[in-house]
Amino acid sequence: MNNPKPMLTLSEVMEKLRQKGITKEILMNEDKKFVLRDEGIVYKPEDLKIIRTYRFEGASDPGDNVALYLLQDIYGNQAMIIDSYGANSNYSGPEFDEFLKKIEEDEQKEEFDF
């Protein structure tokens, strides 16, 4: 019988992604546009695919619930979106959730199964 992999923290997953060269983050700006941090590239949902989703749940505090979405854009670049989910989302208003729901989910890539 296989032993399950130990659960990693958000910072451990981010470090493993960094080791694979993935350091860029997509953020929703004040104009409700989704941009690649420090590069100004603006994305529409159809420009992206979710290739892996990680969820982290706080043991005692629901405010510690975080999701990390690993995405690939139409040019093959990879980046992440990080969001506290539930009542404490990083983004107010419906735009963030609506944008995420429109992104196509690709097959979860095994190479990112940490």
Side-chain angles (χ1 to χ4, degrees):
M1 186 187 303
N2 291 341
N3 290 330
K5 291 182 181 181
M7 294 289 290
L8 299 178
T9 64
L10 174 62
S11 59
E12 289 170 329
V13 168
M14 289 179 70
E15 174 58 21
K16 288 189 176 281
L17 292 173
R18 187 194 66 73
Q19 290 171 3
K20 290 184 173 279
I22 302 167
T23 59
K24 298 182 184 213
E25 186 176 0
I26 298 170
L27 305 167
M28 184 174 76
N29 67 16
E30 56 279 343
D31 297 326
K32 308 291 185 184
K33 296 196 184 307
F34 286 76
V35 298
L36 190 61
R37 180 190 292 209
D38 301 328
E39 302 207 15
I41 298 171
V42 178
Y43 289 111
K44 293 181 248 169
E46 56 269 22
D47 296 334
L48 301 165
K49 283 190 179 183
I50 297 172
I51 58 174
R52 192 79 190 179
T53 301
Y54 305 90
R55 296 199 184 279
F56 307 91
E57 297 183 4
S60 60
D61 183 358
D64 291 339
N65 294 344
V66 176
L68 185 151
Y69 302 94
L70 182 57
L71 302 121
Q72 185 165 314
D73 71 14
I74 55 176
Y75 307 107
N77 301 310
Q78 296 172 332
M80 60 188 108
I81 292 177
I82 301 170
D83 181 45
S84 297
Y85 62 91
N88 297 318
S89 175
N90 293 2
Y91 302 103
S92 61
E95 294 85 0
F96 181 81
D97 287 338
E98 289 172 8
F99 185 90
L100 267 184
K101 288 177 187 173
K102 292 177 185 173
I103 299 174
E104 184 180 328
E105 285 201 45
D106 205 358
E107 186 176 323
Q108 298 279 303
K109 303 273 187 211
E110 289 294 318
E111 68 184 288
F112 300 112
D113 185 15
F114 305 130

